[in-house]
PDB file of all heavy atoms in Angstrom:
ATOM      1  N   LEU N1118     -12.934 -11.790 -68.020  1.00  0.00           N
ATOM      2  CA  LEU N1118     -13.304 -12.968 -68.830  1.00  0.00           C
ATOM      3  C   LEU N1118     -13.042 -12.642 -70.305  1.00  0.00           C
ATOM      4  O   LEU N1118     -12.407 -13.451 -71.018  1.00  0.00           O
ATOM      5  CB  LEU N1118     -14.784 -13.281 -68.590  1.00  0.00           C
ATOM      6  CG  LEU N1118     -15.327 -14.602 -69.214  1.00  0.00           C
ATOM      7  CD1 LEU N1118     -14.567 -15.755 -68.531  1.00  0.00           C
ATOM      8  CD2 LEU N1118     -16.788 -14.734 -68.950  1.00  0.00           C
ATOM      9  N   VAL N1119     -13.457 -11.434 -70.725  1.00  0.00           N
ATOM     10  CA  VAL N1119     -13.261 -11.032 -72.122  1.00  0.00           C
ATOM     11  C   VAL N1119     -11.740 -10.974 -72.383  1.00  0.00           C
ATOM     12  O   VAL N1119     -11.227 -11.433 -73.370  1.00  0.00           O
ATOM     13  CB  VAL N1119     -13.893  -9.655 -72.360  1.00  0.00           C
ATOM     14  CG1 VAL N1119     -13.510  -9.134 -73.734  1.00  0.00           C
ATOM     15  CG2 VAL N1119     -15.412  -9.804 -72.230  1.00  0.00           C
ATOM     16  N   GLN N1120     -11.050 -10.434 -71.387  1.00  0.00           N
ATOM     17  CA  GLN N1120      -9.571 -10.281 -71.561  1.00  0.00           C
ATOM     18  C   GLN N1120      -8.936 -11.655 -71.781  1.00  0.00           C
ATOM     19  O   GLN N1120      -8.083 -11.757 -72.682  1.00  0.00           O
ATOM     20  CB  GLN N1120      -9.067  -9.654 -70.232  1.00  0.00           C
ATOM     21  CG  GLN N1120      -7.654  -9.203 -70.245  1.00  0.00           C
ATOM     22  CD  GLN N1120      -7.600  -7.836 -70.962  1.00  0.00           C
ATOM     23  OE1 GLN N1120      -8.603  -7.163 -71.121  1.00  0.00           O
ATOM     24  NE2 GLN N1120      -6.431  -7.473 -71.419  1.00  0.00           N
ATOM     25  N   ILE N1121      -9.279 -12.644 -70.984  1.00  0.00           N
ATOM     26  CA  ILE N1121      -8.618 -13.949 -71.191  1.00  0.00           C
ATOM     27  C   ILE N1121      -9.081 -14.623 -72.507  1.00  0.00           C
ATOM     28  O   ILE N1121      -8.266 -15.211 -73.214  1.00  0.00           O
ATOM     29  CB  ILE N1121      -8.962 -14.917 -70.029  1.00  0.00           C
ATOM     30  CG1 ILE N1121      -8.841 -14.282 -68.660  1.00  0.00           C
ATOM     31  CG2 ILE N1121      -8.041 -16.145 -70.069  1.00  0.00           C
ATOM     32  CD1 ILE N1121      -9.329 -15.167 -67.526  1.00  0.00           C
ATOM     33  N   LEU N1122     -10.348 -14.483 -72.802  1.00  0.00           N
ATOM     34  CA  LEU N1122     -10.832 -15.142 -73.965  1.00  0.00           C
ATOM     35  C   LEU N1122     -10.361 -14.574 -75.275  1.00  0.00           C
ATOM     36  O   LEU N1122     -10.195 -15.202 -76.311  1.00  0.00           O
ATOM     37  CB  LEU N1122     -12.394 -15.127 -73.989  1.00  0.00           C
ATOM     38  CG  LEU N1122     -13.069 -16.049 -73.014  1.00  0.00           C
ATOM     39  CD1 LEU N1122     -14.568 -15.913 -72.962  1.00  0.00           C
ATOM     40  CD2 LEU N1122     -12.679 -17.513 -73.211  1.00  0.00           C
ATOM     41  N   THR N1123      -9.926 -13.271 -75.207  1.00  0.00           N
ATOM     42  CA  THR N1123      -9.318 -12.665 -76.375  1.00  0.00           C
ATOM     43  C   THR N1123      -7.854 -12.831 -76.387  1.00  0.00           C
ATOM     44  O   THR N1123      -7.146 -12.063 -77.110  1.00  0.00           O
ATOM     45  CB  THR N1123      -9.708 -11.191 -76.485  1.00  0.00           C
ATOM     46  OG1 THR N1123      -9.359 -10.552 -75.230  1.00  0.00           O
ATOM     47  CG2 THR N1123     -11.165 -10.966 -76.768  1.00  0.00           C
ATOM     48  N   GLY N1124      -7.330 -13.687 -75.531  1.00  0.00           N
ATOM     49  CA  GLY N1124      -5.885 -14.004 -75.578  1.00  0.00           C
ATOM     50  C   GLY N1124      -5.041 -13.203 -74.617  1.00  0.00           C
ATOM     51  O   GLY N1124      -3.794 -13.345 -74.608  1.00  0.00           O
ATOM     52  N   GLY N1125      -5.648 -12.345 -73.813  1.00  0.00           N
ATOM     53  CA  GLY N1125      -4.843 -11.519 -72.892  1.00  0.00           C
ATOM     54  C   GLY N1125      -4.610 -12.233 -71.608  1.00  0.00           C
ATOM     55  O   GLY N1125      -5.010 -13.338 -71.394  1.00  0.00           O
ATOM     56  N   GLU N1126      -3.907 -11.519 -70.685  1.00  0.00           N
ATOM     57  CA  GLU N1126      -3.669 -12.059 -69.360  1.00  0.00           C
ATOM     58  C   GLU N1126      -4.677 -11.439 -68.428  1.00  0.00           C
ATOM     59  O   GLU N1126      -4.915 -10.255 -68.509  1.00  0.00           O
ATOM     60  CB  GLU N1126      -2.234 -11.656 -68.935  1.00  0.00           C
ATOM     61  CG  GLU N1126      -1.615 -12.668 -68.016  1.00  0.00           C
ATOM     62  CD  GLU N1126      -0.221 -12.203 -67.575  1.00  0.00           C
ATOM     63  OE1 GLU N1126       0.328 -11.230 -68.155  1.00  0.00           O
ATOM     64  OE2 GLU N1126       0.324 -12.834 -66.663  1.00  0.00           O
ATOM     65  N   PRO N1127      -5.253 -12.244 -67.486  1.00  0.00           N
ATOM     66  CA  PRO N1127      -6.198 -11.636 -66.540  1.00  0.00           C
ATOM     67  C   PRO N1127      -5.496 -10.644 -65.629  1.00  0.00           C
ATOM     68  O   PRO N1127      -4.304 -10.782 -65.334  1.00  0.00           O
ATOM     69  CB  PRO N1127      -6.683 -12.839 -65.739  1.00  0.00           C
ATOM     70  CG  PRO N1127      -5.676 -13.918 -65.913  1.00  0.00           C
ATOM     71  CD  PRO N1127      -5.079 -13.655 -67.283  1.00  0.00           C
ATOM     72  N   SER N1128      -6.236  -9.589 -65.231  1.00  0.00           N
ATOM     73  CA  SER N1128      -5.680  -8.497 -64.405  1.00  0.00           C
ATOM     74  C   SER N1128      -4.959  -9.048 -63.219  1.00  0.00           C
ATOM     75  O   SER N1128      -3.881  -8.587 -62.869  1.00  0.00           O
ATOM     76  CB  SER N1128      -6.759  -7.586 -64.000  1.00  0.00           C
ATOM     77  OG  SER N1128      -7.702  -8.249 -63.215  1.00  0.00           O
ATOM     78  N   PHE N1129      -5.538 -10.056 -62.545  1.00  0.00           N
ATOM     79  CA  PHE N1129      -5.005 -10.463 -61.255  1.00  0.00           C
ATOM     80  C   PHE N1129      -3.698 -11.265 -61.397  1.00  0.00           C
ATOM     81  O   PHE N1129      -3.059 -11.542 -60.403  1.00  0.00           O
ATOM     82  CB  PHE N1129      -6.033 -11.260 -60.458  1.00  0.00           C
ATOM     83  CG  PHE N1129      -6.735 -12.315 -61.228  1.00  0.00           C
ATOM     84  CD1 PHE N1129      -6.215 -13.582 -61.420  1.00  0.00           C
ATOM     85  CD2 PHE N1129      -7.980 -12.009 -61.823  1.00  0.00           C
ATOM     86  CE1 PHE N1129      -6.860 -14.525 -62.136  1.00  0.00           C
ATOM     87  CE2 PHE N1129      -8.666 -12.992 -62.563  1.00  0.00           C
ATOM     88  CZ  PHE N1129      -8.126 -14.232 -62.732  1.00  0.00           C
ATOM     89  N   GLU N1130      -3.328 -11.652 -62.615  1.00  0.00           N
ATOM     90  CA  GLU N1130      -2.060 -12.362 -62.777  1.00  0.00           C
ATOM     91  C   GLU N1130      -0.987 -11.397 -63.304  1.00  0.00           C
ATOM     92  O   GLU N1130       0.139 -11.747 -63.345  1.00  0.00           O
ATOM     93  CB  GLU N1130      -2.210 -13.522 -63.764  1.00  0.00           C
ATOM     94  CG  GLU N1130      -3.236 -14.509 -63.231  1.00  0.00           C
ATOM     95  CD  GLU N1130      -2.873 -15.944 -63.522  1.00  0.00           C
ATOM     96  OE1 GLU N1130      -2.419 -16.210 -64.627  1.00  0.00           O
ATOM     97  OE2 GLU N1130      -3.053 -16.761 -62.591  1.00  0.00           O
ATOM     98  N   ALA N1131      -1.422 -10.212 -63.734  1.00  0.00           N
ATOM     99  CA  ALA N1131      -0.466  -9.252 -64.321  1.00  0.00           C
ATOM    100  C   ALA N1131       0.098  -8.306 -63.226  1.00  0.00           C
ATOM    101  O   ALA N1131       0.806  -7.396 -63.558  1.00  0.00           O
ATOM    102  CB  ALA N1131      -1.114  -8.447 -65.405  1.00  0.00           C
ATOM    103  N   VAL N1132      -0.255  -8.590 -61.960  1.00  0.00           N
ATOM    104  CA  VAL N1132       0.117  -7.660 -60.944  1.00  0.00           C
ATOM    105  C   VAL N1132       1.633  -7.808 -60.563  1.00  0.00           C
ATOM    106  O   VAL N1132       2.134  -8.907 -60.478  1.00  0.00           O
ATOM    107  CB  VAL N1132      -0.688  -7.943 -59.622  1.00  0.00           C
ATOM    108  CG1 VAL N1132      -0.405  -6.851 -58.589  1.00  0.00           C
ATOM    109  CG2 VAL N1132      -2.074  -8.045 -59.949  1.00  0.00           C
ATOM    110  N   VAL N1133       2.299  -6.710 -60.383  1.00  0.00           N
ATOM    111  CA  VAL N1133       3.628  -6.743 -59.837  1.00  0.00           C
ATOM    112  C   VAL N1133       3.512  -6.496 -58.336  1.00  0.00           C
ATOM    113  O   VAL N1133       3.050  -5.423 -57.940  1.00  0.00           O
ATOM    114  CB  VAL N1133       4.513  -5.667 -60.474  1.00  0.00           C
ATOM    115  CG1 VAL N1133       5.998  -5.876 -60.064  1.00  0.00           C
ATOM    116  CG2 VAL N1133       4.396  -5.661 -61.979  1.00  0.00           C
ATOM    117  N   GLU N1134       3.877  -7.474 -57.533  1.00  0.00           N
ATOM    118  CA  GLU N1134       3.693  -7.311 -56.126  1.00  0.00           C
ATOM    119  C   GLU N1134       4.756  -6.475 -55.472  1.00  0.00           C
ATOM    120  O   GLU N1134       5.939  -6.772 -55.603  1.00  0.00           O
ATOM    121  CB  GLU N1134       3.644  -8.696 -55.459  1.00  0.00           C
ATOM    122  CG  GLU N1134       2.941  -8.688 -54.121  1.00  0.00           C
ATOM    123  CD  GLU N1134       2.963 -10.041 -53.469  1.00  0.00           C
ATOM    124  OE1 GLU N1134       2.922 -11.082 -54.196  1.00  0.00           O
ATOM    125  OE2 GLU N1134       3.096 -10.080 -52.283  1.00  0.00           O
ATOM    126  N   ASP N1135       4.318  -5.354 -54.871  1.00  0.00           N
ATOM    127  CA  ASP N1135       5.298  -4.477 -54.222  1.00  0.00           C
ATOM    128  C   ASP N1135       5.132  -4.435 -52.734  1.00  0.00           C
ATOM    129  O   ASP N1135       5.954  -3.953 -52.011  1.00  0.00           O
ATOM    130  CB  ASP N1135       5.249  -3.090 -54.823  1.00  0.00           C
ATOM    131  CG  ASP N1135       3.894  -2.430 -54.645  1.00  0.00           C
ATOM    132  OD1 ASP N1135       2.983  -3.173 -54.362  1.00  0.00           O
ATOM    133  OD2 ASP N1135       3.835  -1.210 -54.819  1.00  0.00           O
ATOM    134  N   ASP N1136       4.047  -5.029 -52.236  1.00  0.00           N
ATOM    135  CA  ASP N1136       3.806  -5.000 -50.784  1.00  0.00           C
ATOM    136  C   ASP N1136       3.750  -6.443 -50.285  1.00  0.00           C
ATOM    137  O   ASP N1136       2.828  -7.177 -50.596  1.00  0.00           O
ATOM    138  CB  ASP N1136       2.478  -4.282 -50.530  1.00  0.00           C
ATOM    139  CG  ASP N1136       2.128  -4.233 -49.066  1.00  0.00           C
ATOM    140  OD1 ASP N1136       2.781  -4.944 -48.293  1.00  0.00           O
ATOM    141  OD2 ASP N1136       1.179  -3.544 -48.725  1.00  0.00           O
TER     142      ASP N1136
END
Side-chain angles (χ1 to χ4, degrees):
Chain N
L1118 191 61
V1119 172
Q1120 193 77 18
I1121 314 175
L1122 287 177
T1123 53
E1126 208 182 352
S1128 62
F1129 45 85
E1130 300 218 318
V1132 188
V1133 189
E1134 201 181 326
D1135 59 346
D1136 180 348

